[in-house]
Amino acid sequence: MTMMTPQPMDQQEDEEMLVPNSDLVEDPQPLVEGPQPLVEGPQPMEADNPGTVENQANDEPQASRFTWTIPSFSRLNTKKLYSDVFLVGGYKWRVLIFPKGNNVDYLSIYLDVADSATLPYGWSRYAQFSLAVVNQLRSKYTIKKDTQHQFNQRESDWGFTSFMPLSDLYDPNKGYLVNDTCIIEADVAVRKVIDYWAYDSKKATGYVGLKNQGATCYMNSLLQTLYHIPYFRKAVYHMPTTENDIPTGSIPLALQSLFYKLQYHDTSVSTKELTKSFGWDTYDSFLQHDVQELNRVLCEKLEDKMKGTVVEGTIQKLFEGHHMNYIECINVDFKSTRKESFYDLQLDVKGCKDVYASFDKYVEVERLEGDNKYHAEEHGLQDAKKGVLFIDFPPVLQLQLKRFEYDFMRDTMVKINDRYEFPLELDLDRDNGKYLSPDADRSVRNLYTLHSVLVHSGGVHGGHYYAFIRPTLSDQWYKFDDERVTKEDVKRALEEQYGGEEELPQTNPGYNNTPFKFTKYSNAYMLVYIRVSDKDKIICDVDEKDIAEHLRVRLKKEQEDKEDKRRYKAQAHLYTIIKVARDEDLREQIGKDIHFDLVDHDKVRSFRIQKQIPFNTFKEEVAKEFGIPVQFQRFWIWAKRQNHTYRPNRPLTPQEEAQTVGTLREASNKSHAAELKLFLEVEHGLDSRPISLPEKNKDDILLFFKLYDPEKEEIRYVGRLFVKSTGKPIEIMATLNQLVGFAPDEEIELFEEIKFEPSVMCERLDKRASFRFSQIEDGDIICFQKQILPESEGKVRFPDVPSFLEYVKNRQIVHFRFLERPKEDEFSLELAKNHTYDDVVERVAQHLGLDDPSKIRLTPHNCYSQQPKPNPIKYRAVDQLLDMLVHYNQISDILYYEKLDIPLPELQCLKTLKVTFHREDEAVILNIRLPKQSTVGDVLNDIKTKVNLSHPNAELRLLEVFYHKIYKVFPVQEKIENINDQYWTLRAEEIPEEEKNLGPNDRLIHVYHFTKETTQNQVQVQNFGDPFFLVIHEGKTLADVKVRIQKKLQVPDEEFSKWKFAFLSLGRPEYLEDSDIVSSRFQRKDVYGAWEQYLGLEHSDTNPKRPYAASQNRHTFEKPVKIYN
């Protein structure tokens, strides 16, 4: 589920995003009792999983209104109050209120599933609803908020914690309490849901869906749209790939594989191969991106990969159109034109009722006159008209609807849920070709038919995407919603995706008869039209002959393997897996793959045996497999001990061996796993042939032995022996020496390996105590080694078994990277997880040849972003290496290091600031390091010692600059501890003399450089360069100010003459004439907050334009889409 915390926005967005008035920000939310943060969430429609509301809404909704009249409201002394239960759509509901607020000074109100406690596991139901507090004096002031929610066990109530201020509710003059009675209305509409799990898309529709990886529904809807353009699919199939390519490393092969599976498989298809071929990790799959941006980046990649192949140019042929930007002077004969290509068009939704209105706005003529005249080369400034006309449209026309826009007044992104219509047939030759340029080929008929509607359901900070597509352009539409595909009618695909408000009929009129109205948060976001004259070419046949032979073979083999696995899984209940470990496995694994316990059962021979087969029959199969006659086999059951070790426990009895495999597995396996794990005991004679097994009675104990060599730092399995429980280790010393080829009288030390989780426990065995006294039992492990002589002890790292096992348990290879080159491993060290902070930095310093380990600073690794974490590890702030490597539930093996010029404990008491010092035309970057309690004044004094000043008594100031605007002048007494130089630029400069002696009517204003970009008739102001302050004297004209600016910036006349000057307020330019009095525009004196108003220096934008317009639908908080391979 994708849940994102909403950004703050103000009251004006009430109707749209359900934010209550007041300073509190709130979207609909579940009831949470107890203290809550002021910025609240989550939003109602952020879920991105197959069970979201839009996925399951099926039939026409059943709606009803419930009216709740509450007398003696102000005298209620209960914390929360439930209404009576009411029925809508066959479900029981009730309203829940907190009359004195749910820990806020607001009325809190929720819709609650009345019988949630008794409903079966996994229940869910979807409702659109509104909650209202009726104003009984003036109905137009009734407060009403609406939302929609998928109710389930975890979220059985949903609503508004901060519905309305208690001060308004309890004010008798406001009309919400009349005669101390409050009236609450709940309008509820319920849609029935279809059984998601039992539904078969392929059977129902002939098509299959795509699996959601976390938040990839936006990608799924786009991929389905592209797949259902057969000409595009055919081109993808014809991209050259080879049998040696790997799908996860080749975008063409991964896309071919995906399209093949969509065409020929019966169940939903995974996109993991494709996203891996993009170079994405799991983290990228849980980030929701913008459909248009992914479309642009993917098509760019494919265009590049198609170069030099038989399908080169396919992307352009399908999607590329051209328009002409023109500026035409009105009073002189001068016209400037520029041809640009586009792969999609962004159409305004705000203020447009339909697609045609958007196209009208797109080609709308802008007048350049007054302050905004056009500089027409030798003609100078001229009145002109500016606009866009289309030279040609592509066969496949992709229209991006600008549902997301930046609201300058609220300084935030908002979603436009307005009603916006789009036709089934789109005629772009209408009104005598008013959208076409004079150069357009009028013989081409620009009549289009709708192919796909991509829908976004939810709010500005996330939501869910799906697509309505008619693959063959017939009357039948299909909804592609991740894994599920359903048949839909044209009304659902078109009209219901227009947005706006939905009005539901009443079935149970209550207090008043106003209709139910709900804002529709699901609406069209992208439209794909196909030109009617090209449809036969584009909706072409694509069959197996279009698919490379190696791809068909590979994918058919994949499908067969998948089918085999499915059959295997389907029949699993009829079989038992028996895993048989032997001495050979122990010898092979111990000391290489494993050091603790005896065997890794995943690496031993396994048998898949039908449950009804007698165990004795299975022994015959073992005889064939291993060449060991049945009479020489003895099987031991493994058991998991309380200390989490796993050892052979006891031999099977003759009675057990007479049972079926299934019965034996059930009797021996308390965990009900499908596996039976056995140890096969076999005795070999001198000629290595199997011989009869010794009798085992109650006094016999089966022990396993490992030998440790301290010089080689190796441990290995050497065999097993039966010992008597009354016997003593000293009695088997000679046998053990013989087993490993030591002299018969070699002194050896014995240790019992007891456990290794959570820590190693390995204890010396008393040679003279009986095995029973030492609590030795079947399956125990005895490790032994030559006795270490005192003179040899210092020559080996791990002199005995316990120290070696401790080392093995804790050893950790760590890859170190220099922090400034975070992608490259510099060196690796073998360390121990329980190494202290001092141990680790000492080893790093030693490797780097640094005398003082305290000058090493380490930074941990973020396993998800594959980047260094933002904060380094403080001096001795962690106990051991493991704490440095743990990131949530993962253990990394990467650390980043820095070499400091002073010890870290000293540095931590200091604050380091990166400051750019500006003087005339030079900028010097300084690293200022001062005690944390220092002030800005101390910083400026330190800077004075490091730079050349214009004169010894020059005064300095420190500014905060962000995106080429000055946001703050720091007071000299401000402490530096909380100043952030990671996100903002800190700039120091001399204070000009003229600013020190401001007259009573002088103004200190901000001056910023900017370019103005008109994207589809919408002005975008882009600031750049270094902002600065300027003193404006009363009565001075722009001409006077320009002279001072040119002198200050030392700009040549030719360049300076091209600049325009404008007063900007909230991003809107108002151009100034030379004769305008500048000070009259700037009424504020304060510097703080003055970035809202500034004098702008407009430079002509000479940057080349990309064929794709930058996405206007980008959410400001999103990470950009990148395809890395």
Side-chain angles (χ1 to χ4, degrees):
M1 182 174 283
T2 308
M3 288 288 187
M4 303 177 192
T5 307
Q7 302 286 321
M9 48 186 105
D10 69 13
Q11 183 182 345
Q12 195 173 343
E13 191 153 355
D14 249 18
E15 293 305 309
E16 183 171 65
M17 289 304 298
L18 314 169
V19 180
N21 43 23
S22 87
D23 297 332
L24 265 156
V25 177
E26 185 202 16
D27 286 340
Q29 59 203 230
L31 162 62
V32 181
E33 296 189 52
Q36 294 155 56
L38 291 189
V39 178
E40 296 171 332
Q43 283 188 247
M45 287 295 294
E46 301 302 287
D48 195 332
N49 63 29
T52 51
V53 295
E54 280 297 323
N55 298 3
Q56 298 190 349
N58 188 27
D59 301 323
E60 288 304 310
Q62 298 176 41
S64 185
R65 170 170 292 159
F66 171 72
T67 302
W68 183 17
T69 303
I70 310 171
S72 306
F73 192 84
S74 62
R75 293 198 292 280
L76 292 172
N77 59 7
T78 179
K79 185 182 178 187
K80 57 184 179 181
L81 185 68
Y82 286 99
S83 73
D84 291 339
V85 174
F86 58 96
L87 283 172
V88 184
Y91 298 136
K92 294 178 179 179
W93 306 91
R94 58 185 175 177
V95 176
L96 164 61
I97 64 165
F98 286 68
K100 300 294 189 291
N102 183 8
N103 297 291
V104 290
D105 294 326
Y106 288 76
L107 175 69
S108 304
I109 181 167
Y110 309 89
L111 181 65
D112 178 62
V113 175
D115 53 350
S116 60
T118 59
L119 290 172
Y121 177 79
W123 68 270
S124 72
R125 63 184 60 160
Y126 163 65
Q128 284 177 297
F129 63 94
S130 70
L131 299 168
V133 175
V134 175
N135 191 302
Q136 299 164 56
L137 301 180
R138 295 174 294 279
S139 61
K140 69 176 183 177
Y141 291 118
T142 291
I143 295 176
K144 178 178 177 181
K145 298 181 189 296
D146 61 55
T147 183
Q148 52 194 350
H149 184 59
Q150 184 84 6
F151 292 85
N152 53 46
Q153 233 156 357
R154 204 160 41 86
E155 291 176 349
S156 61
D157 46 56
W158 194 259
F160 305 87
T161 299
S162 303
F163 184 80
M164 67 179 291
L166 294 176
S167 56
D168 289 350
L169 177 63
Y170 285 97
D171 185 338
N173 299 316
K174 292 283 176 77
Y176 299 107
L177 285 187
V178 174
N179 298 327
D180 205 19
T181 296
C182 180
I183 298 173
I184 291 173
E185 289 181 348
D187 290 342
V188 182
V190 176
R191 274 199 170 105
K192 294 286 185 187
V193 298
I194 58 180
D195 183 353
Y196 177 76
W197 301 107
Y199 184 76
D200 185 325
S201 293
K202 186 80 169 187
K203 278 185 184 169
T205 66
Y207 299 104
V208 296
L210 291 167
K211 291 175 180 170
N212 193 327
Q213 287 189 52
T216 54
C217 55
Y218 72 98
M219 179 179 72
N220 290 352
S221 58
L222 176 66
L223 289 172
Q224 288 283 15
T225 303
L226 293 173
Y227 167 80
H228 286 292
I229 300 171
Y231 189 94
F232 179 86
R233 191 192 329 159
K234 191 186 274 264
V236 166
Y237 283 151
H238 283 271
M239 291 175 76
T241 53
T242 72
E243 58 198 23
N244 298 322
D245 290 345
I246 303 166
T248 53
S250 161
I251 293 173
L253 182 58
L255 203 54
Q256 288 172 351
S257 172
L258 183 85
F259 281 4
Y260 180 91
K261 290 170 186 174
L262 282 174
Q263 191 163 346
Y264 293 107
H265 283 199
D266 294 330
T267 55
S268 58
V269 178
S270 169
T271 56
K272 281 186 181 173
E273 274 184 357
L274 184 65
T275 55
K276 280 184 181 169
S277 77
F278 290 171
W280 291 4
D281 55 20
T282 310
Y283 178 73
D284 288 292
S285 301
F286 279 89
L287 285 179
Q288 197 169 85
H289 292 295
D290 180 80
V291 169
Q292 183 201 350
E293 190 176 13
L294 177 68
N295 188 20
R296 175 176 60 75
V297 174
L298 178 60
C299 285
E300 258 181 8
K301 270 296 172 197
L302 289 174
E303 192 179 327
D304 188 50
K305 304 268 184 194
M306 287 176 176
K307 281 178 182 164
T309 74
V310 292
V311 288
E312 182 173 357
T314 297
I315 301 294
Q316 292 97 318
K317 278 180 204 162
L318 280 177
F319 304 117
E320 188 177 49
H322 298 89
H323 52 52
M324 177 187 76
N325 291 305
Y326 68 88
I327 300 176
E328 187 173 0
C329 291
I330 294 168
N331 301 317
V332 297
D333 184 17
F334 183 88
K335 185 174 184 179
S336 167
T337 61
R338 186 175 73 244
K339 181 179 178 180
E340 285 186 1
S341 65
F342 64 86
Y343 282 19
D344 54 39
L345 294 173
Q346 293 178 60
L347 299 185
D348 283 325
V349 171
K350 192 79 174 168
C352 299
K353 78 179 188 67
D354 59 16
V355 171
Y356 289 122
S358 296
F359 269 98
D360 291 346
K361 193 170 178 183
Y362 202 102
V363 301
E364 205 169 58
V365 176
E366 181 187 354
R367 304 283 292 198
L368 304 179
E369 54 195 10
D371 295 337
N372 198 22
K373 285 186 178 181
Y374 175 62
H375 186 81
E377 295 179 3
E378 69 271 13
H379 300 289
L381 292 173
Q382 291 288 331
D383 290 342
K385 54 185 183 180
K386 176 182 177 183
V388 177
L389 287 170
F390 291 92
I391 299 167
D392 56 63
F393 292 104
V396 179
L397 181 62
Q398 300 181 107
L399 303 179
Q400 305 288 343
L401 307 185
K402 286 159 71 173
R403 287 281 179 192
F404 295 96
E405 286 194 351
Y406 188 77
D407 189 315
F408 283 96
M409 296 299 290
R410 284 172 273 182
D411 190 28
T412 187
M413 292 294 292
V414 294
K415 184 178 178 194
I416 311 297
N417 288 307
D418 299 357
R419 182 177 175 85
Y420 180 88
E421 297 177 9
F422 45 91
L424 196 58
E425 286 216 328
L426 177 68
D427 187 355
L428 294 178
D429 291 331
R430 70 198 292 256
D431 294 349
N432 203 26
K434 66 178 177 179
Y435 306 131
L436 301 175
S437 77
D439 302 336
D441 181 355
R442 302 284 174 138
S443 67
V444 177
R445 179 75 175 95
N446 291 304
L447 180 65
Y448 286 84
T449 187
L450 186 61
H451 174 264
S452 316
V453 180
L454 275 72
V455 175
H456 177 265
S457 172
V460 68
H461 299 295
H464 185 61
Y465 291 89
Y466 45 91
F468 291 93
I469 302 173
R470 48 179 190 150
T472 61
L473 299 181
S474 68
D475 292 338
Q476 181 61 63
W477 286 85
Y478 298 87
K479 180 181 176 185
F480 292 83
D481 188 349
D482 286 340
E483 297 186 39
R484 195 156 61 89
V485 186
T486 50
K487 287 184 176 180
E488 304 289 352
D489 59 24
V490 69
K491 179 172 182 269
R492 182 64 64 86
L494 269 73
E495 288 173 44
E496 293 196 15
Q497 308 317 318
Y498 289 163
E501 287 188 329
E502 182 174 7
E503 192 170 298
L504 300 173
Q506 289 193 53
T507 56
N508 180 22
Y511 180 79
N512 61 42
N513 290 310
T514 54
F516 300 176
K517 283 189 177 178
F518 295 95
T519 301
K520 295 177 74 173
Y521 293 96
S522 304
N523 34 54
Y525 177 73
M526 176 177 164
L527 307 172
V528 178
Y529 283 92
I530 290 177
R531 189 155 46 206
V532 173
S533 58
D534 291 314
K535 75 176 182 182
D536 291 340
K537 182 174 76 176
I538 289 164
I539 309 296
C540 56
D541 290 332
V542 184
D543 51 35
E544 284 216 341
K545 69 176 182 294
D546 292 302
I547 302 164
E549 176 68 20
H550 77 85
L551 187 66
R552 288 206 301 271
V553 169
R554 179 202 292 254
L555 294 173
K556 278 182 179 167
K557 174 77 168 62
E558 250 180 52
Q559 183 64 8
E560 284 165 10
D561 290 348
K562 192 176 173 184
E563 194 56 34
D564 287 346
K565 277 183 187 173
R566 189 195 62 75
R567 275 197 298 271
Y568 185 92
K569 204 171 175 182
Q571 296 171 1
H573 65 288
L574 303 174
Y575 290 83
T576 288
I577 303 295
I578 303 180
K579 293 188 171 180
V580 177
R582 301 182 297 147
D583 276 332
E584 289 84 344
D585 297 307
L586 276 58
R587 280 198 184 87
E588 178 64 31
Q589 292 186 25
I590 292 171
K592 295 174 189 170
D593 302 334
I594 62 169
H595 291 84
F596 301 101
D597 260 359
L598 292 171
V599 76
D600 177 350
H601 290 275
D602 290 335
K603 294 180 179 174
V604 303
R605 177 72 172 86
S606 67
F607 299 82
R608 189 169 185 250
I609 305 295
Q610 286 190 341
K611 287 181 179 177
Q612 74 270 25
I613 287 179
F615 188 82
N616 281 320
T617 306
F618 162 68
K619 289 175 75 172
E620 291 169 13
E621 186 153 336
V622 171
K624 283 184 207 163
E625 178 69 24
F626 296 133
I628 297 162
V630 169
Q631 66 270 27
F632 301 141
Q633 300 172 14
R634 179 154 61 201
F635 286 95
W636 290 67
I637 289 278
W638 292 80
K640 188 171 187 178
R641 297 182 175 181
Q642 285 185 330
N643 62 12
H644 303 295
T645 58
Y646 212 57
R647 308 286 173 82
N649 185 42
R650 61 173 181 81
L652 290 179
T653 64
Q655 292 86 347
E656 286 174 322
E657 292 192 353
Q659 295 174 348
T660 64
V661 164
T663 308
L664 179 60
R665 197 269 301 164
E666 284 167 17
S668 65
N669 196 333
K670 291 176 185 171
S671 67
H672 302 294
E675 296 176 351
L676 177 60
K677 292 172 183 169
L678 300 172
F679 174 72
L680 174 58
E681 180 196 350
V682 179
E683 286 297 321
H684 291 94
L686 295 174
D687 58 357
S688 299
R689 290 186 179 182
I691 58 173
S692 298
L693 293 155
E695 287 292 321
K696 179 191 180 322
N697 57 43
K698 287 183 180 179
D699 196 33
D700 292 323
I701 302 172
L702 178 64
L703 298 181
F704 294 83
F705 292 89
K706 297 178 184 178
L707 173 68
Y708 173 55
D709 184 338
E711 290 179 3
K712 292 183 179 176
E713 293 181 5
E714 286 178 359
I715 199 163
R716 62 188 176 94
Y717 175 69
V718 292
R720 54 186 162 72
L721 294 173
F722 279 107
V723 298
K724 296 293 182 187
S725 62
T726 53
K728 297 172 184 177
I730 198 163
E731 296 165 4
I732 61 165
M733 304 271 272
T735 309
L736 291 177
N737 281 332
Q738 184 184 353
L739 192 64
V740 296
F742 290 170
D745 57 351
E746 180 74 57
E747 283 295 323
I748 56 176
E749 299 285 338
L750 281 73
F751 302 86
E752 183 193 359
E753 180 191 314
I754 300 169
K755 66 169 187 170
F756 57 93
E757 289 294 352
S759 56
V760 172
M761 191 171 177
C762 182
E763 295 180 349
R764 192 179 296 273
L765 198 62
D766 186 344
K767 298 177 194 173
R768 300 186 180 280
S770 71
F771 289 109
R772 181 183 294 158
F773 180 82
S774 297
Q775 298 183 334
I776 300 297
E777 58 186 31
D778 279 323
D780 278 351
I781 300 169
I782 308 297
C783 303
F784 67 100
Q785 66 178 86
K786 286 183 182 180
Q787 192 172 41
I788 289 282
L789 301 172
E791 61 267 24
S792 308
E793 206 161 317
K795 295 177 183 175
V796 292
R797 287 201 302 166
F798 310 109
D800 56 24
V801 174
S803 62
F804 175 70
L805 291 180
E806 188 72 38
Y807 154 72
V808 169
K809 165 76 175 164
N810 289 297
R811 70 179 165 187
Q812 174 71 50
I813 304 294
V814 180
H815 304 283
F816 286 89
R817 299 175 177 181
F818 186 43
L819 188 63
E820 291 182 16
R821 291 191 294 274
K823 292 286 183 192
E824 304 166 24
D825 285 356
E826 290 244 338
F827 60 91
S828 300
L829 295 176
E830 185 184 277
L831 304 171
K833 290 179 187 142
N834 56 355
H835 267 166
T836 64
Y837 174 89
D838 286 352
D839 293 335
V840 176
V841 292
E842 206 169 293
R843 288 288 306 281
V844 174
Q846 192 181 340
H847 180 87
L848 296 171
L850 207 62
D851 295 334
D852 186 354
S854 69
K855 289 185 179 177
I856 294 292
R857 180 162 68 176
L858 301 173
T859 299
H861 178 69
N862 183 322
C863 299
Y864 298 110
S865 67
Q866 295 297 310
Q867 295 286 332
K869 288 187 185 178
N871 298 315
I873 297 165
K874 292 187 175 176
Y875 183 70
R876 291 180 175 166
V878 295
D879 292 331
Q880 51 186 15
L881 174 64
L882 187 60
D883 301 323
M884 301 180 190
L885 302 178
V886 169
H887 180 68
Y888 294 108
N889 59 345
Q890 293 191 37
I891 295 179
S892 160
D893 61 354
I894 295 168
L895 284 174
Y896 303 87
Y897 76 91
E898 298 165 86
K899 290 191 276 188
L900 305 174
D901 55 348
I902 61 171
L904 182 56
E906 281 181 45
L907 182 65
Q908 284 177 185
C909 299
L910 302 175
K911 172 83 173 179
T912 302
L913 293 175
K914 189 176 179 182
V915 179
T916 307
F917 177 74
H918 280 240
R919 181 169 173 267
E920 294 173 353
D921 59 346
E922 65 172 346
V924 183
I925 295 174
L926 304 168
N927 284 306
I928 307 296
R929 190 185 280 161
L930 292 170
K932 288 181 178 175
Q933 295 310 306
S934 303
T935 63
V936 169
D938 298 324
V939 172
L940 297 175
N941 288 333
D942 192 50
I943 290 172
K944 285 178 184 178
T945 66
K946 296 178 176 176
V947 298
N948 295 320
L949 300 173
S950 60
H951 60 89
N953 298 322
E955 287 183 46
L956 303 183
R957 64 182 166 209
L958 188 66
L959 312 176
E960 181 182 85
V961 177
F962 186 59
Y963 279 111
H964 314 287
K965 294 181 181 182
I966 298 167
Y967 276 74
K968 183 174 182 178
V969 179
F970 289 96
V972 290
Q973 70 276 12
E974 184 168 332
K975 293 275 194 293
I976 66 171
E977 187 169 5
N978 296 321
I979 293 179
N980 186 338
D981 63 347
Q982 277 191 308
Y983 302 108
W984 325 106
T985 301
L986 298 180
R987 187 173 102 192
E989 63 187 19
E990 290 187 18
I991 303 175
E993 289 301 317
E994 67 170 357
E995 291 185 27
K996 297 177 188 175
N997 304 303
L998 289 180
N1001 297 315
D1002 290 341
R1003 299 278 182 271
L1004 185 62
I1005 67 166
H1006 293 234
V1007 185
Y1008 302 155
H1009 301 273
F1010 76 96
T1011 59
K1012 193 177 70 175
E1013 189 178 285
T1014 304
T1015 306
Q1016 297 166 12
N1017 296 333
Q1018 199 175 42
V1019 175
Q1020 297 278 335
V1021 168
Q1022 299 286 340
N1023 293 102
F1024 69 97
D1026 291 322
F1028 59 94
F1029 289 125
L1030 192 69
V1031 175
I1032 300 295
H1033 303 295
E1034 188 174 25
K1036 293 296 181 182
T1037 64
L1038 176 63
D1040 302 323
V1041 172
K1042 282 165 74 172
V1043 172
R1044 290 172 54 219
I1045 290 175
Q1046 186 175 3
K1047 184 180 175 187
K1048 181 180 177 74
L1049 300 180
Q1050 299 176 4
V1051 183
D1053 289 345
E1054 186 184 352
E1055 174 66 22
F1056 194 71
S1057 66
K1058 296 176 185 174
W1059 293 7
K1060 292 183 187 177
F1061 290 74
F1063 168 73
L1064 284 97
S1065 178
L1066 296 172
R1068 294 184 179 83
E1070 185 185 324
Y1071 290 90
L1072 303 175
E1073 299 287 346
D1074 281 358
S1075 56
D1076 286 341
I1077 305 297
V1078 178
S1079 60
S1080 64
R1081 305 297 175 110
F1082 295 90
Q1083 295 307 312
R1084 293 190 190 176
K1085 277 193 168 183
D1086 60 331
V1087 169
Y1088 298 104
W1091 61 83
E1092 295 170 11
Q1093 298 182 344
Y1094 62 88
L1095 180 64
L1097 314 181
E1098 184 185 349
H1099 301 240
S1100 56
D1101 184 9
T1102 55
N1103 293 331
K1105 296 288 183 291
R1106 292 179 56 132
Y1108 292 97
S1111 170
Q1112 298 300 308
N1113 293 344
R1114 293 281 306 133
H1115 300 178
T1116 51
F1117 55 85
E1118 281 182 0
K1119 193 177 167 187
V1121 180
K1122 286 185 182 174
I1123 295 179
Y1124 300 93
N1125 296 329

